[in-house]
Amino acid sequence: MAEIIQKDGTWIFDGDTLRLTPGRDKNVSLLRKELGELLVPLAALAGISFEQGKKSGRLRLRLRDGADPLLHATAGRLAEPHDPYQLTVESDRYGVAEYFVDEVRNALLLDQVPSGPVDAYLLPGPSVPLSVSAGDGVAGFDGERVRLEWKWQAEDAKSAGGPRTLPLSDIVAVEWQPTVGLENGHLRFTVRAAPTKAPPKYDPNAVELWGFKRDPLMALVAAAVQARLPHPSAPAAPDDAPPAGDAPAPAPAEDDHDALLRRLRELGELHRSGVLTDEEFGQAKQAVLKRM
């Protein structure tokens, strides 16, 4: 097991999973604190690097494209302080960071983990229910529907219509954009059969963001919704697919990604405790990864 503990956070690698825990230091961003601990399966990782500086260095994880709904929802626009896959390392721990990198890279090689994109999320996304108040509104998501409520600062075009409830089945896309310079950010939902070109300021399906401290938290709402939408790289349904009434029964709960991630952790614990041999553990893990 490899472990590195810093003010910025703690990273632990047990050979199968990386456990990323944000630190309690005042410089740790609010988004990382609210997101909490992340469990990243080795199968979701494309690479790891360590960059040294004069006063501090930085560990960076690179996830496979499409593995994390948070990274997909933020589309590379998540500023460095809010990125949960980076860790600031103090200069007296450079040796520990380099050892950590070696351990993860060796595991990637031994398990022959590909670095290419995936067509299903390997991380579950932020926990629900959650609610964030920022900009001109409050966005909440309970796993089945999004609710938008307006503050007094919202334009009449929004507030006049009252709170909005958007069933997940009506949402086809979610977009998060941070504030950049003089351009305000937003959290916008594209609703089926109701496209709009209105600016977020007037769009009843969007929250306008003004660049304040809590604005990045809207990315958590975006990621939670994104995790429950069809994966953008998932194979398209064939043209001759049966009608909805004849559709096959949904996959059992055991095939859900959350359940598979839990199964990986359970297998790791059984292996470490000696219940599973190396061979049994390897076979069981490969079976779970294939189902993912």
Side-chain angles (χ1 to χ4, degrees):
M1 185 178 76
E3 178 182 61
I4 181 166
I5 302 174
Q6 295 290 275
K7 293 180 180 179
D8 194 38
T10 298
W11 285 13
I12 299 174
F13 178 56
D14 63 7
D16 301 291
T17 304
L18 290 104
R19 184 183 299 269
L20 315 180
T21 306
R24 298 181 180 180
D25 188 74
K26 63 180 181 180
N27 293 323
V28 177
S29 78
L30 184 60
L31 184 147
R32 287 178 59 203
K33 290 179 179 178
E34 290 292 330
L35 184 60
E37 186 176 79
L38 291 177
L39 298 178
V40 183
L42 190 65
L45 202 60
I48 182 172
S49 63
F50 175 58
E51 304 164 3
Q52 292 189 17
K54 291 183 178 180
K55 295 184 178 180
S56 64
R58 190 169 296 274
L59 273 172
R60 298 178 188 268
L61 293 181
R62 182 167 60 88
L63 270 62
R64 299 171 66 184
D65 289 343
D68 181 19
L70 174 63
L71 296 184
H72 181 82
T74 53
R77 295 186 287 262
L78 200 60
E80 190 170 275
H82 308 303
D83 187 345
Y85 301 113
Q86 298 188 29
L87 181 71
T88 301
V89 179
E90 298 166 10
S91 59
D92 62 347
R93 290 294 182 271
Y94 283 180
V96 178
E98 291 171 348
Y99 171 76
F100 192 94
V101 168
D102 289 342
E103 288 292 293
V104 175
R105 285 178 177 171
N106 289 338
L108 289 172
L109 289 173
L110 289 173
D111 284 25
Q112 298 182 345
V113 177
S115 60
V118 296
D119 59 7
Y121 294 121
L122 302 183
L123 280 83
S127 301
V128 294
L130 60 86
S131 179
V132 176
S133 174
D136 66 355
V138 179
F141 182 53
D142 62 5
E144 297 181 356
R145 58 189 62 83
V146 171
R147 181 174 175 82
L148 303 176
E149 300 180 12
W150 310 116
K151 299 180 182 179
W152 65 268
Q153 299 99 325
E155 293 290 328
D156 291 343
K158 290 182 176 181
S159 57
R164 299 275 292 173
T165 299
L166 308 175
L168 185 63
S169 57
D170 289 347
I171 299 174
V172 296
V174 56
E175 178 185 71
W176 175 81
Q177 174 71 53
T179 300
V180 179
L182 298 177
E183 183 178 351
N184 291 342
H186 62 264
L187 171 67
R188 189 201 297 269
F189 299 95
T190 301
V191 180
R192 195 184 313 277
T196 178
K197 295 184 178 180
K201 185 175 183 178
Y202 304 105
D203 185 355
N205 296 325
V207 175
E208 186 180 35
L209 305 175
W210 301 319
F212 296 139
K213 182 178 179 180
R214 293 185 60 83
D215 282 10
L217 295 182
M218 282 295 181
L220 300 181
V221 179
V225 174
Q226 185 67 59
R228 290 160 178 81
L229 295 177
H231 194 281
S233 299
D239 294 336
D240 58 351
D246 298 329
E254 288 76 15
D255 288 337
D256 291 343
H257 283 336
D258 289 0
L260 294 176
L261 291 175
R262 288 195 297 271
R263 182 57 180 161
L264 280 176
R265 292 195 294 271
E266 292 170 356
L267 290 173
E269 293 171 357
L270 291 173
H271 180 233
R272 288 191 297 274
S273 63
V275 175
L276 293 179
T277 65
D278 292 346
E279 182 180 359
E280 292 170 337
F281 171 66
Q283 293 175 348
K285 185 173 71 171
Q286 288 302 317
V288 174
L289 292 177
K290 288 180 180 179
R291 291 170 60 187
M292 296 178 73

